[in-house]
Amino acid sequence: MKKLERAGYVKIFTRLTHVPRSSLILDPTAEQALSPADRERTKSITALDCSWAVLDTSIVQNWRFKRALPFLLAANPVNFGKPFKLTSVEAMAAALCILGEEDQARD
């Protein structure tokens, strides 16, 4: 994520309270999966760069606009081929592809 921030692709927030409330949050516990239909509503994407296994999900419980990613396999060296074990960068790239922003995801 730090490399993406230095390149100007992402903005890193140290507190969730600083994230714009209109942002789509990628939440693996969300009941609805991200789809191309969400494109019009999505102004920005927020990925929490942490372990969801230890995160207190009540933090994101009341977030207005959250979506889970559909079934995807990880391509990172640690979790290669494991479902739902994506890095934050993989999750953001996948979300961008789903929303029709393939060029941005590739960058």
Side-chain angles (χ1 to χ4, degrees):
M1 286 301 234
K2 292 281 187 189
K3 283 184 180 180
L4 291 175
E5 182 181 41
R6 282 192 298 269
Y9 290 114
V10 300
K11 181 171 172 82
I12 295 178
F13 295 98
T14 56
R15 295 185 181 266
L16 194 56
T17 55
H18 296 137
V19 176
R21 295 293 286 171
S22 61
S23 184
L24 160 70
I25 188 165
L26 297 177
D27 178 357
T29 66
E31 294 182 13
Q32 191 171 356
L34 183 65
S35 75
D38 293 315
R39 182 183 176 126
E40 295 302 317
R41 188 173 173 194
T42 304
K43 303 278 188 265
S44 64
I45 300 171
T46 298
L48 301 181
D49 195 24
C50 64
S51 169
W52 282 90
V54 297
L55 178 71
D56 178 5
T57 55
S58 67
I59 294 170
V60 295
Q61 185 176 18
N62 295 324
W63 203 270
R64 286 183 238 156
F65 184 37
K66 58 185 179 175
R67 295 286 188 266
L69 290 173
F71 184 89
L72 296 170
L73 299 176
N76 65 72
V78 174
N79 293 310
F80 185 82
K82 293 180 184 173
F84 307 113
K85 297 284 186 176
L86 282 65
T87 64
S88 296
V89 174
E90 288 174 321
M92 289 182 66
L96 287 166
C97 285
I98 291 167
L99 296 172
E101 299 291 337
E102 291 87 3
D103 291 339
Q104 191 175 2
R106 204 172 295 110
D107 288 345

